[in-house]
Amino acid sequence: MRVLVVEDARRLADAIARGLRAEGMAVDVAYDGAEGHQKATFTRYDVVVLDRDLPEMHGDDVLAEIVAAGSTTRVLMLTASAGIDDRVDGLSLGADDYLSKPFAFPELVARVRALGRRATPAVPPVLRAGDLELDPARRTVSRAGQPIELTRKEFGVLEVLLGAAGSVVSSEALLERVWDENADPFTTTVRVTMMTLRRKLGEPGLIDTVVGAGYRLSSTSSTSSTSSTASTSSTASTSSTASTAE
């Protein structure tokens, strides 16, 4: 998930960014409204955490520009005011959620994750491909029932590939979704991360390289849209009523 934090209180902005990165998100930071607007214009973010009272360009104006652009980006507004009228104003302008300062960081994380799910096509709570299973909420990965320890970037790459459900994902797209603005587009970081990820996932391989295009899940694996309470079996196809995964 790619997140932009726009907050003029630098210590708070940096603390939010560090915390969200620790949760596996790619995070950029802007310290005033004008910088935030510029970054939101040129990069597609899943979520923007936007302070309302910003210098250079007011948070309301930044929000208005994001909404006017018709972007899928979701906006979580932060404010020092806890008044109902203030919250109503922010939501009326097009904010997707509102959080008053001071706030509990776990609540911020939960709200950002919830908004991130709304910013992208619906994906199941648990992603599966063959015997591989990834749980974004618990941040766990297993294959054939055996847990696999991944770095944050390896986890992010695998999550994007699973979410693509067999479609090709370019290296540029992976850089944009998993890394932040400090990533050098000319480095081999994606290739190196892919090498270590493949090694950890083991054999048979689950990730194909599409020469000149990018990466995708192997055609021999199938991604199923399943919840933690749903199950699939080989006998399902013989039932008189078939259920179709969303």
Side-chain angles (χ1 to χ4, degrees):
M1 183 189 303
R2 188 77 178 266
V3 179
L4 173 64
V5 176
V6 189
E7 167 64 62
D8 62 317
R10 288 178 174 257
R11 290 181 63 183
L12 176 59
D14 293 343
I16 292 173
R18 284 195 302 271
L20 294 179
R21 287 171 184 144
E23 294 291 327
M25 304 178 198
V27 185
D28 298 335
V29 179
Y31 300 112
D32 63 61
E35 182 185 11
H37 173 248
Q38 181 182 37
K39 290 185 176 182
T41 298
F42 291 103
T43 301
R44 189 184 75 80
Y45 293 98
D46 296 299
V47 180
V48 174
V49 179
L50 178 66
D51 184 34
R52 191 170 188 188
D53 298 313
L54 291 168
E56 304 299 331
M57 184 176 183
H58 196 274
D60 289 354
D61 296 327
V62 177
L63 172 61
E65 291 292 333
I66 293 174
V67 172
S71 171
T72 59
T73 298
R74 304 299 180 181
V75 178
L76 170 62
M77 290 202 81
L78 301 177
T79 180
S81 174
I84 293 177
D85 290 342
D86 199 52
R87 293 199 300 271
V88 170
D89 287 345
L91 294 170
S92 297
L93 288 169
D96 297 282
D97 201 356
Y98 215 90
L99 191 59
S100 299
K101 302 175 186 177
F103 52 81
F105 188 74
E107 181 180 6
L108 174 68
V109 173
R111 288 174 182 264
V112 169
R113 287 199 183 283
L115 291 177
R117 288 193 293 270
R118 292 167 53 189
T120 56
V123 295
V126 176
L127 298 170
R128 293 187 177 93
D131 59 356
L132 178 70
E133 181 177 293
L134 181 147
D135 187 329
R138 294 183 174 85
R139 301 201 66 75
T140 58
V141 176
S142 64
R143 186 169 190 186
Q146 298 301 310
I148 301 173
E149 294 294 327
L150 300 180
T151 66
R152 289 200 297 269
K153 298 307 183 188
E154 291 164 353
F155 187 97
V157 167
L158 183 58
E159 185 176 11
V160 171
L161 290 175
L162 284 166
S167 298
V168 176
V169 182
S170 68
S171 294
E172 292 77 12
L174 287 171
L175 274 173
E176 180 175 313
R177 307 311 306 152
V178 182
W179 280 263
D180 58 29
E181 63 187 350
N182 296 314
D184 183 349
F186 299 104
T187 66
T188 59
T189 185
V190 172
R191 181 171 61 84
V192 172
T193 300
M194 195 66 67
M195 289 173 58
T196 60
L197 175 59
R198 282 170 162 156
R199 176 175 56 79
K200 291 181 179 181
L201 293 179
E203 296 295 336
L206 292 175
I207 301 173
D208 292 335
T209 297
V210 181
V211 179
Y215 306 91
R216 68 182 173 197
L217 291 179
S218 171
S219 58
T220 60
S221 64
S222 60
T223 304
S224 58
S225 299
T226 54
S227 68
S228 58
T229 59
S231 62
T232 57
S233 68
S234 60
T235 59
S237 60
T238 62
S239 173
S240 59
T241 58
S243 61
T244 303
E246 294 181 352

